[in-house]
Amino acid sequence: MQTPFLFRFRESLAGLPSLLVLLALVLAGVQQTARLVRHEDPKPVQIALFEEAPPAPKVETPPPEPPKKVETPRPVARPIPVPAPRPAPKSDPNPIEQVRPAPETPPVAAQPVARPAPQPTPVAPPAPAPQPVAQPAPPAPSSANVEAQYVGKLRAHLNSIKRYPTGREASQLKPQGKVRVWFVLRRDGSVVDVGIDESSNSMLLDDAARKTINRATFAAFPDGTWPGEGTHRFTADLEFIPVG
């Protein structure tokens, strides 16, 4: 048996009247809104501008006066009483003169006759001591000698600080030889450049010679040496001998 068509949609049909009522209310509200007339106020609006009153001037109160220092009264030095001078004794207007007896004259003793004193024998003056003869000052060393002494000190210093190369290669090869190294110094003793003049045929020894120059501390040039030269080139022979 088939179910009727309207019976199947009975729930939808039951809510249809409510939808129609709601739609009628919406239409009525729209019509009422359209009938509203804009209300205008016939009275004009007046706008008045008022100037703001200037702010009242600030009254500056004077700063309080600092408290006055009350000076304590200083003690008044009392005068030291001075004793009144005593009256001097009155001298007698008529002093009695005492008569002193005349001194007796002592008897005059016989004066001895003065004998002429013996004249001293003239003594010859001592001979003047011989004055020491001033020895002439030693001659000042020449600039060539000073330069030679300076170079000798440089080479002795380098030989005292040289070090035999260390490392695995040096311990295996044990190179031995002499390296002539050259180096340029400024007058204050600082190193400008360094190089090898004659190699020892061993890179280890040549490198050790360069390190010796860079590690050394040189004194400044003596006054009067190498005049007019700002730098000077020196050479030194460094001999390396393996230990053991």
Side-chain angles (χ1 to χ4, degrees), residues 76-90:
V76 180
R78 296 181 180 179
I80 300 174
V82 180
R86 295 180 180 180
K90 296 181 179 180

Side-chain angles (χ1 to χ4, degrees), residues 60-86:
E60 296 183 358
T61 58
E65 297 181 357
K68 297 181 178 180
K69 295 183 180 179
V70 179
E71 296 183 357
T72 57
R74 297 181 179 178
V76 180
R78 296 181 180 179
I80 300 174
V82 180
R86 295 180 180 180

Side-chain angles (χ1 to χ4, degrees), residues 41-132:
D41 192 359
K43 295 181 180 181
V45 178
Q46 296 181 357
I47 299 175
L49 300 177
F50 297 93
E51 295 183 357
E52 295 183 358
K58 294 182 180 180
V59 179
E60 296 183 358
T61 58
E65 297 181 357
K68 297 181 178 180
K69 295 183 180 179
V70 179
E71 296 183 357
T72 57
R74 297 181 179 178
V76 180
R78 296 181 180 179
I80 300 174
V82 180
R86 295 180 180 180
K90 296 181 179 180
S91 59
D92 193 355
N94 298 320
I96 299 173
E97 297 181 359
Q98 296 179 358
V99 178
R100 295 181 180 179
E104 296 179 358
T105 57
V108 177
Q111 297 181 358
V113 179
R115 295 180 180 180
Q119 295 181 359
T121 305
V123 180
Q131 296 181 358

